[in-house]
Amino acid sequence: MDTTYLVKRYAVVSLLTMIAVMIIGYLVEMFFNHDIGSVGGMIAVFVPAMDAGQTYVRRGHGKPANGFAWKMSVIFLIVNGAIGLVFMAALMLILGGGGELFGILSGLGVAVLSIITAVVFIGMLLATRFFFGFGAKNELKMQEKRAAEKQP
């Protein structure tokens, strides 16, 4: 399979998911006075990975091989990180507040910030890999169910 299509679709779904999470988070905070916290960030990783797994199966490739799934997960991690950084930079330019964020981050120190970054990236990689496979598995089950329903 040409991975370009899968990566492009992942990027679009990832961006749309980030925007949707931001809007939903704003509405939840406005109406319920509750912050969705890090759940929004996790959703922005899970949803695009599941969609990519489902898309892979829908395009006739069956269950992805382990090596391919890990390769795609690394690519998805890079794409998601790049989109997230650009998205965050754009929001800081539009809304301001970058100085506060950089003040907090510089107070942590390089070692602590490096450890936090490594833990986040490892968690994102594992989540992306799991949900890529999970999306493919669910799509295979749905296809089997639809095929069984068509049987007389």
Side-chain angles (χ1 to χ4, degrees):
M1 172 182 194
D2 184 24
T3 58
T4 306
Y5 174 79
L6 207 55
V7 172
K8 286 179 183 177
R9 181 174 172 101
Y10 179 87
V12 169
V13 172
S14 184
L15 181 62
L16 292 175
T17 303
M18 286 179 195
I19 292 169
V21 165
M22 184 182 74
I23 292 169
I24 291 169
Y26 175 76
L27 292 173
V28 166
E29 190 167 342
M30 190 170 77
F31 291 117
F32 302 108
N33 198 24
H34 185 21
D35 184 17
I36 63 171
S38 61
V39 172
M42 291 186 288
I43 291 170
V45 173
F46 300 163
V47 170
M50 282 184 66
D51 178 72
Q54 291 170 338
T55 301
Y56 182 78
V57 171
R58 283 184 198 134
R59 291 179 66 95
H61 298 286
K63 183 179 177 188
N66 270 339
F68 179 77
W70 281 110
K71 173 186 158 188
M72 293 310 297
S73 296
V74 169
I75 293 170
F76 293 159
L77 175 67
I78 293 167
V79 169
N80 198 315
I83 291 172
L85 286 174
V86 170
F87 194 67
M88 185 178 76
L91 285 177
M92 285 193 309
L93 285 173
I94 294 169
L95 302 175
E100 294 174 17
L101 176 64
F102 291 122
I104 293 169
L105 293 178
S106 65
L108 292 176
V110 175
V112 172
L113 195 55
S114 298
I115 291 170
I116 290 170
T117 303
V119 168
V120 167
F121 276 110
I122 290 170
M124 284 177 65
L125 177 66
L126 294 173
T128 302
R129 168 60 183 93
F130 174 77
F131 281 96
F132 179 68
F134 188 68
K137 182 179 159 185
N138 281 346
E139 182 62 28
L140 285 169
K141 284 183 181 178
M142 288 301 296
Q143 287 180 359
E144 289 173 7
K145 186 177 177 181
R146 279 185 243 135
E149 290 173 353
K150 289 181 181 179
Q151 297 283 331

